[in-house]
Amino acid sequence: MKTASSHGSKENLPIELLSWDEAYYKAEKIVSRMSLKQKVDITTGTGWQKGLCVGNTFGTKKPNFPSLCLQDAPLGVSFADNVTAGVSGMNAAASFDKKAIYARAEYMGKEFRGKGVNVYLGPYINMIRVPEGGRNWEGGTEDPYLMGIVAAETVKGIQDQGVIASAKHFILNEQELNRNSSSSNIDARTLHEIYLWPFARVIEAGIGSIMCSFNKVNGTYACENDYLLNTILRKELGFRGFVCSDWFATTSTGAVKSGLDMNMPGEISLENYDTYFGHNLIKAAESKNVPEDRITDMANRIVTTWFKMRQDQNFPDTALNAFHMEYAPFKNVQENHKELVRELGAASNVLLKNTKNVLPLDLNKVKTAAIIGSDAGPNTNSLNCFLNGCTGGTLMEGWGSGTVYFPYAVDPLAGLTKAFGNKINIKSTLNDWDLQKAVEIARGADYAFVFSNSNSGEEIISVEDTMGDRNNLSLWHNGDKLINAVADVNNNTIVVIHSVGPVLMPWINHPNITAVLWPGLPGQESGNSLADVVTGKVNPSGRLPYTIGKNYIDYNAHINTSDAIEYSEKLLVGYKWFDSANIEPLFPFGYGLSYTKFDYRDLRVGVNASVRHSSTGSKTITDVTVITTIYVLNSGSVDGAEIVQAYLSFPDSTESPPKHLRGFEKAFLRRGEEKNILFELNKSELSIWDTFSNRWKIPSGNFTIHIGASSRDIREIMTFTI
Ligand code: NOJ
C-alpha cells in the first residue's frame, strides 16, 4: 500500500492507493451484481460531445457505479478554465530531473482531481522516431530509458492524487500522417527494447489504464491486436488495469476478445453513430460470439482501477464542461502551481551555445537590448483558439488534443522587460518579415535577442499548411533570415528557439551569435522562466532530449507517406543511429551548457551477479546488480546542477547500438562542492530482448559503462564482465 501526501481539504484527503488484489476484491463484489447490460454500459462511451468530458462512460444504478470522466491532456486539464497551463512533456524530459517531473505530475493530478476528472489521458509516451512527428512535443524524447523515467514519475504523481492515468498511444503511433490506416511494421526485439520499454515502466509504476492507438501494428489494428493487448500487455507485462481505445480507434466488436476493455468516445465514427460496444456488444454476448466472462473481466478491470485509486471516497464532482465551457461551474484549481511552472520552464531550458560566457547578462553592465521576432511577443490571435490551432506570437504549446487553455501567458518580451527593470533599455519589433526594421533596432543595441519557433500538432487541425507532422525541420516565419539579418549587425546576438522538436540551425556558426537557448514549450510562465535563466537567477541544467542534426538527411527516419511504415532502422533510433553511423550531430542527445563547470573523477564499478548452473554444465545469469559511482565537482564560479549521465554498451555478440542511456542523476552542487554520484543498474537495464527464447536475457561478456555530461561528452569509461 502506498501513501500519498495529505492536503487538508475534504476532497484532498490523504489517498491510500489500494493494491490490485485489494481493489479487485472490492470490484468483484459489485460487478458480480451487475447485469450484462450494466457491465457493457460501464465499458461504453456515451458518445462524442455527449457528456461533460472528452470521454464519458455510462454509469449504473443498483449496483451504483458512476459515469467516468476522461479528459486530456498531457500538460494540463483541457477545455477548462481556471487551470494551469504547464510545460510540455518534452520539457519534462529535458529537465532530466526526476523530482521535478514527479512534482509536475503531482500538481496536475491535483488539478484533474479538483475538476473531478477520473482519467487523465496521458502521459504521451510514443517515441521521437522521426524528428517531424507532429505530437513529439507531448512526450518528447528519442530515448526509451528517459521516456520510461518521465512516464513512470508522471504516472506516480498523477495517481498519487487518486486520478487514473492512461498512457498513450499503444503502440507505434510515431507520426500523424495516415495514422488511421497505416501499419507500423516492426520486429520483436525493436518493439521490446525501444517502444515497449516506457509502457513496461508505467505498468511497473501501477498505471490504471492504457490507450490503444489508431494505427495497425504488423497488419492488425492496435485496438484489436491480440498479441499486443493479451500476450504482451497482460501476460508478459502483467497489466491489471483497462485498455481504452483512442477516440474512434475501435474497429470491431470482436476487439474485446483481443483485449479491448473500453470504447471511446462511443460511436463508430463521426459519421456513423452506431457503436461497436453498447447494444452490439450485448448482442454479441447473447449470441455467444463474445463470452460473457470476457465482458465481466472488462467491467472488473474498470471497477478495480477505480477502487485502486480510491475514487470511491470523496471524489469531487466533475467541474468542467468540455464542449460548453460557459456552463462549467466555477472552480479554480490553480493554487500556486504557476510557481512550479516557472521553475520547470527554467529547469528545462537548454543552453546550446554561450561563447565567452555572454550569459548570464550582467544587468549592471548591459545598457540596451533589442528584442526581435513575433515569437517574443504575445499571442496575436486569441490566446485560446480552438485546440491552439492558430499561430502568431510566442509558442508555448503545439496544437491538438494535447493542449490546454491558458489562464494568462507571460510572453518573453513581458518577462524580460520585467526582469530588466529600469536597468536595461529595450527596443523591440515583433515583425518577422521586416528585416530592415529588425536590423535598425539590432544595430545600436548592446545585445540583440532574436526569437523564432517551429510548431506542429495533431492531424485533426492543419496550421499554415502543416497537417500535423512538420513539413520540414526549418524555423517558421522567416526565422533563419531574421536571425542572420540580426546577427550580421549585432555582435552579441542571442537566439531563442521555441520548438516542438529539433530544428536545423544553418546560422549556428555565425560569429556574432554568441548564445542560443532552447526553452522548448514552456507554458504560461514562459517569459519569467526565460528571464530567470538569462539573468542567472537560475543556472541552466536542461539537456536535449533528442539529437539535433546538422542536416535533414543526417536523420535515418522521416515521415513515411505510404501505408506501410517499416521500422527498418530497428534499434538505431536517435543518438543510437548517429553513434553507429558516426555522424557528428550539431548538438547531441543529453547536451546542454551550464554557467559553471563540472569535473568528473574516480569512476568505480562493482558487479554482483547470481548465476544458475544447469546439470549439463551451462550457466544462466539469473540476476545482476551493477553499482557505479563517480565523483563530480563543481569547479566553476557559481552554484549549479549537473545532469550526470550513464550510458551502457552491451557485449559485441548482442549486436546492440554503441550505447544506451541507462541512468541519469541531477546533482546540485555549490561552487567548489563535490559529490559522489551513484547509479544502480539492475536486470532490466542490463538485458536485451532475446528473440530466440522470447524473453529478456542478461547477455554474458564485456560491458562498458560510460559516464559523462552528454551522449558525446563521455568523461570516464570502465569495462566490466558478466
Ligand atoms: C485523440 C488523441 O489521439 C488522443 O491522444 C486523445 O486523448 C483523444 N483524441 C481524446 O481527445
Side-chain angles (χ1 to χ4, degrees):
M1 226 194 265
K2 197 155 187 291
T3 312
S5 50
S6 73
H7 321 272
S9 85
K10 193 164 177 259
E11 284 181 351
N12 284 323
L13 284 174
I15 299 157
E16 292 209 336
L17 301 192
L18 295 188
S19 71
W20 284 110
D21 285 340
E22 287 167 324
Y24 182 80
Y25 178 77
K26 285 176 179 270
E28 226 194 350
K29 281 194 185 158
I30 293 194
V31 173
S32 62
R33 287 165 45 220
M34 284 184 180
S35 65
L36 172 62
K37 177 168 185 311
Q38 286 177 316
K39 284 183 281 193
V40 167
D41 275 353
I42 67 169
T43 69
T44 302
T46 55
W48 179 235
Q49 302 198 357
K50 292 195 189 99
L52 296 176
C53 302
V54 296
N56 309 272
T57 53
F58 290 103
T60 62
K61 291 258 175 296
K62 292 189 186 164
N64 289 347
F65 188 74
S67 153
L68 299 184
C69 159
L70 294 80
Q71 190 75 1
D72 293 302
L75 58 77
V77 186
S78 70
F79 293 120
D81 286 328
N82 302 303
V83 299
T84 303
V87 307
S88 69
M90 176 181 62
N91 282 68
S95 76
F96 279 76
D97 181 338
K98 294 171 207 171
K99 284 199 190 118
I101 296 165
Y102 179 88
R104 168 181 181 263
E106 185 185 40
Y107 94 69
M108 288 201 296
K110 283 183 193 163
E111 296 202 2
F112 276 80
R113 181 184 176 88
K115 289 283 188 185
V117 175
N118 301 89
V119 183
Y120 159 87
L121 297 172
Y124 175 101
I125 59 177
N126 295 107
M127 303 294 301
I128 300 191
R129 169 177 178 261
V130 289
E132 307 91 336
R135 300 182 70 179
N136 284 344
W137 56 274
E138 292 187 43
T141 175
E142 63 190 26
D143 182 78
Y145 178 85
L146 176 59
M147 189 81 261
I149 301 272
V150 176
E153 291 304 313
T154 304
V155 167
K156 288 184 219 157
I158 295 285
Q159 295 196 162
D160 281 351
Q161 301 307 312
V163 173
I164 301 164
S166 186
K168 65 194 191 182
H169 309 84
F170 191 69
I171 193 169
L172 306 185
N173 182 189
E174 268 79 32
Q175 67 173 56
E176 287 298 281
L177 186 68
N178 299 334
R179 67 179 188 181
N180 291 299
S181 57
S182 60
S183 175
S184 300
N185 301 328
I186 198 165
D187 64 278
R189 183 172 175 193
T190 309
L191 177 67
H192 281 83
E193 291 190 21
I194 307 280
Y195 300 94
L196 264 176
W197 180 288
F199 284 97
R201 302 292 86 81
V202 293
I203 291 172
E204 283 165 6
I207 195 159
S209 173
I210 286 180
M211 185 192 293
C212 54
S213 57
F214 291 112
N215 53 292
K216 298 174 200 162
V217 173
N218 293 341
T220 306
Y221 274 110
C223 287
E224 56 175 28
N225 197 312
D226 181 66
Y227 171 68
L228 291 174
L229 306 184
N230 282 330
T231 307
I232 293 197
L233 276 190
R234 265 113 192 191
K235 295 204 188 90
E236 199 177 300
L237 299 174
F239 174 58
R240 297 194 55 185
F242 63 92
V243 175
C244 157
S245 74
D246 199 343
W247 270 231
F248 306 110
T250 304
T251 38
S252 65
T253 301
V256 302
K257 289 193 277 188
S258 308
L260 179 66
D261 303 304
M262 186 186 277
N263 177 39
M264 278 294 146
E267 305 92 335
I268 288 176
S269 69
L270 276 176
E271 293 79 37
N272 184 343
Y273 301 152
D274 200 1
T275 176
Y276 286 122
F277 276 35
H279 70 102
N280 281 320
L281 186 52
I282 294 173
K283 223 187 296 162
E286 284 166 353
S287 60
K288 309 266 183 268
N289 282 331
V290 168
E292 187 168 344
D293 281 359
R294 172 65 193 116
I295 296 171
T296 308
D297 175 49
M298 291 155 65
N300 268 326
R301 284 174 174 275
I302 293 165
V303 180
T304 299
T305 308
W306 180 80
F307 270 120
K308 180 173 168 56
M309 308 302 159
R310 303 315 307 257
Q311 294 191 353
D312 57 320
Q313 294 188 14
N314 301 323
F315 200 79
D317 291 339
T318 302
L320 55 84
N321 195 330
F323 302 104
H324 289 283
M325 282 174 61
E326 66 282 15
Y327 299 140
F330 175 83
K331 189 163 184 199
N332 187 346
V333 292
Q334 296 169 94
E335 297 184 16
N336 61 348
H337 303 152
K338 67 176 183 188
E339 288 167 20
L340 207 52
V341 173
R342 179 173 181 159
E343 276 171 36
L344 286 161
S348 53
N349 196 332
V350 185
L351 177 62
L352 293 171
K353 184 175 178 183
N354 196 20
T355 313
K356 290 194 226 118
N357 296 329
V358 58
L359 290 179
L361 288 194
D362 184 340
L363 299 194
N364 294 317
K365 289 205 183 121
V366 183
K367 296 272 171 293
T368 54
I371 295 184
I372 296 163
S374 63
D375 183 67
N379 211 295
T380 47
N381 294 296
S382 96
L383 177 59
N384 292 316
C385 63
F386 183 67
L387 296 180
N388 205 33
C390 55
T391 48
T394 196
L395 188 69
M396 297 170 292
E397 59 174 1
W399 72 78
S401 61
T403 54
V404 284
Y405 289 151
F406 280 59
Y408 65 87
V410 181
D411 58 75
L413 179 58
L416 292 176
T417 305
K418 186 159 173 237
F420 293 169
N422 52 15
K423 298 212 157 155
I424 301 181
N425 190 4
I426 294 177
K427 282 198 178 140
S428 65
T429 168
L430 304 179
N431 187 327
D432 302 315
W433 303 92
D434 188 347
L435 299 184
Q436 215 179 329
K437 174 91 182 171
V439 163
E440 197 181 296
I441 287 183
R443 194 171 263 135
D446 294 344
Y447 286 81
F449 286 85
V450 53
F451 288 77
S452 189
N453 65 34
S454 170
N455 197 359
S456 71
E458 191 179 348
E459 60 130 51
I460 44 176
I461 301 178
S462 161
V463 177
E464 297 197 27
D465 295 328
T466 304
M467 305 290 292
D469 304 315
R470 284 186 286 166
N471 299 326
N472 53 52
L473 299 178
S474 297
L475 290 171
W476 283 29
H477 306 151
N478 212 27
D480 292 333
K481 286 202 177 115
L482 184 69
I483 292 168
N484 271 321
V486 170
D488 282 347
V489 297
N490 186 301
N491 63 8
N492 261 325
T493 297
I494 296 168
V495 178
V496 183
I497 304 295
H498 290 104
S499 75
V500 288
V503 295
L504 299 179
M505 302 183 173
W507 31 260
I508 192 74
N509 293 320
H510 195 302
N512 286 348
I513 296 181
T514 45
V516 179
L517 280 162
W518 177 80
L521 301 173
Q524 68 189 37
E525 286 285 323
S526 174
N528 287 335
S529 305
L530 177 69
D532 289 346
V533 172
V534 165
T535 58
K537 202 168 146 194
V538 172
N539 187 349
S541 59
R543 299 291 182 262
L544 280 180
Y546 52 70
T547 306
I548 302 184
K550 288 185 176 159
N551 307 294
Y552 176 86
I553 52 163
D554 291 349
Y555 293 95
N556 61 346
H558 291 284
I559 300 298
N560 192 319
T561 54
S562 80
D563 259 352
I565 304 177
E566 305 298 338
Y567 281 46
S568 49
E569 72 288 348
K570 300 192 171 175
L571 302 174
L572 300 179
V573 179
Y575 66 89
K576 292 170 183 155
W577 157 249
F578 281 77
D579 281 357
S580 84
N582 232 329
I583 301 171
E584 204 195 322
L586 184 59
F587 294 112
F589 174 83
Y591 175 86
L593 299 171
S594 164
Y595 296 153
T596 187
K597 208 173 137 285
F598 299 97
D599 299 333
Y600 292 60
R601 71 169 177 95
D602 201 9
L603 169 64
R604 291 176 191 221
V605 179
V607 182
N608 192 349
S610 327
V611 177
R612 193 178 53 227
H613 296 271
S614 77
S615 52
T616 57
S618 69
K619 57 177 202 172
T620 313
I621 304 150
T622 51
D623 204 4
V624 67
T625 306
V626 173
I627 303 280
T628 301
T629 57
I630 190 156
Y631 283 97
V632 180
L633 167 74
N634 179 348
S635 60
S637 53
V638 289
D639 301 345
E642 172 70 321
I643 308 293
V644 189
Q645 301 165 40
Y647 294 85
L648 184 75
S649 304
F650 285 93
D652 289 346
S653 60
T654 62
E655 295 180 11
S656 289
K659 58 187 185 311
H660 307 244
L661 183 71
R662 282 295 185 262
F664 60 86
E665 291 301 331
K666 179 170 178 174
F668 181 80
L669 297 165
R670 299 214 169 277
R671 178 163 68 110
E673 192 184 357
E674 187 175 51
K675 271 188 193 155
N676 198 232
I677 307 299
L678 182 141
F679 297 99
E680 183 180 316
L681 274 54
N682 293 307
K683 201 173 166 187
S684 342
E685 288 85 32
L686 294 159
S687 296
I688 59 152
W689 181 258
D690 181 44
T691 35
F692 182 70
S693 62
N694 251 327
R695 55 183 62 169
W696 290 98
K697 181 177 157 189
I698 305 164
S700 53
N702 293 334
F703 291 74
T704 305
I705 190 114
H706 314 245
I707 307 286
S710 86
S711 64
R712 290 283 176 118
D713 182 6
I714 301 301
R715 304 294 179 85
E716 297 218 10
I717 64 170
M718 194 171 275
T719 297
F720 62 91
T721 308
I722 297 183

